[in-house]
Amino acid sequence: MSLTANVREHMREVVPAVTHVDGTARLQTVRKADNEKYYRLIQLFEERTSVPLVLNTSFNVAGEPIVESPTDALRTFLQSPIDGLVIDNSFVRKRAVINGLEEVWSVHISASIIEIEQRLMYGGLESEVYVSLLDRKVQLLSEFELELVRYLWEEDPEDEDEITVAECRQLMSMEEVPSDDCDRALLSLHRQRIIHFRDVNGDVP
């Protein structure tokens, strides 16, 4: 990771997540003799996507040190939006509790939120947003998530009126956000345990 290489121009739009603004990338290579499972994983990924690489990044969440043990890995897995975790020969996957949203479901913000923090980066050109809860800190993944969290959190807690999924979609549509993007943001916030839903009977779906 200490050396950079130029990414070929026709591939820069294919792998933007690993391409720096100057068209370079920090590359790591894997030989079959060194790690056959990882080598095979990259091969299979290429067969499915035509992209011959995967993104390697540190395994930790905002405000936490890098994972150093299986226990650390499981804790981070449960507190983040990661879908699956591989440890040696074991594969752990979160159960898909919700596949789709019902318009009549009510949306509830976590009572353990302490603050919403926005950090400016790169001279104010970009920002990262974190939600601090009593037991952890979560980085929001999109502006849509931020808008929803702000709206839900700033609502009067004594107000007995409940906001529904349909009303969230309507609210976001006023900001020209498509309903699909709104749903993705709601589901992401749900996976991170920042919000939860209740059906018409008051039960958690």
Side-chain angles (χ1 to χ4, degrees):
M1 294 286 282
S2 59
L3 299 176
T4 61
N6 290 318
V7 179
R8 294 176 181 175
E9 285 197 22
H10 72 281
M11 290 296 292
R12 292 177 185 177
E13 292 186 0
V14 178
V15 288
V18 301
T19 305
H20 304 150
V21 292
D22 63 355
T24 63
R26 292 190 296 169
L27 305 181
Q28 292 176 298
T29 58
V30 182
R31 294 186 304 178
K32 187 175 183 180
D34 295 330
N35 192 327
E36 185 174 353
K37 290 180 181 177
Y38 197 23
Y39 181 90
R40 182 59 180 150
L41 172 67
I42 298 172
Q43 274 190 325
L44 292 171
F45 186 78
E46 181 181 11
E47 290 176 11
R48 289 195 174 196
T49 67
S50 298
V51 178
L53 57 84
V54 293
L55 173 62
N56 180 33
T57 186
S58 60
F59 189 3
N60 66 310
V61 294
E64 295 291 333
I66 293 175
V67 163
E68 293 185 343
S69 68
T71 301
D72 289 344
L74 286 168
R75 183 184 299 112
T76 301
F77 170 64
L78 293 172
Q79 294 181 352
S80 70
I82 296 173
D83 296 316
L85 174 66
V86 177
I87 302 178
D88 292 331
N89 293 321
S90 300
F91 176 51
V92 183
R93 182 169 56 188
K94 291 176 183 172
R95 184 174 60 183
V97 178
I98 295 178
N99 294 318
L101 298 177
E102 298 290 338
E103 288 192 342
V104 293
W105 286 354
S106 57
V107 184
H108 304 266
I109 194 81
S110 172
S112 63
I113 290 181
I114 301 171
E115 67 173 352
I116 300 172
E117 176 187 1
Q118 189 163 8
R119 302 177 184 172
L120 295 179
M121 303 176 63
Y122 308 114
L125 297 177
E126 295 183 20
S127 65
E128 292 182 346
V129 180
Y130 299 88
V131 174
S132 296
L133 298 99
L134 291 175
D135 60 338
R136 66 195 192 283
K137 181 177 286 188
V138 178
Q139 182 178 358
L140 298 184
L141 304 178
S142 71
E143 292 183 8
F144 308 143
E145 293 181 18
L146 173 60
E147 290 299 322
L148 285 167
V149 169
R150 276 182 171 162
Y151 179 79
L152 293 167
W153 193 50
E154 292 172 1
E155 283 287 277
D156 184 352
E158 297 182 359
D159 189 349
E160 296 183 357
D161 292 336
E162 297 178 343
I163 184 170
T164 63
V165 170
E167 289 167 334
C168 281
R169 290 172 179 165
Q170 184 177 11
L171 172 71
M172 297 298 278
S173 69
M174 295 172 63
E175 302 295 330
E176 299 184 351
V177 177
S179 61
D180 287 348
D181 288 334
C182 177
D183 286 4
R184 274 191 287 270
L186 286 169
L187 289 170
S188 176
L189 293 172
H190 177 265
R191 283 194 299 270
Q192 297 175 85
R193 293 181 291 135
I194 295 175
I195 65 170
H196 66 274
F197 305 105
R198 291 193 180 277
D199 63 19
V200 290
N201 297 316
D203 298 324
V204 177

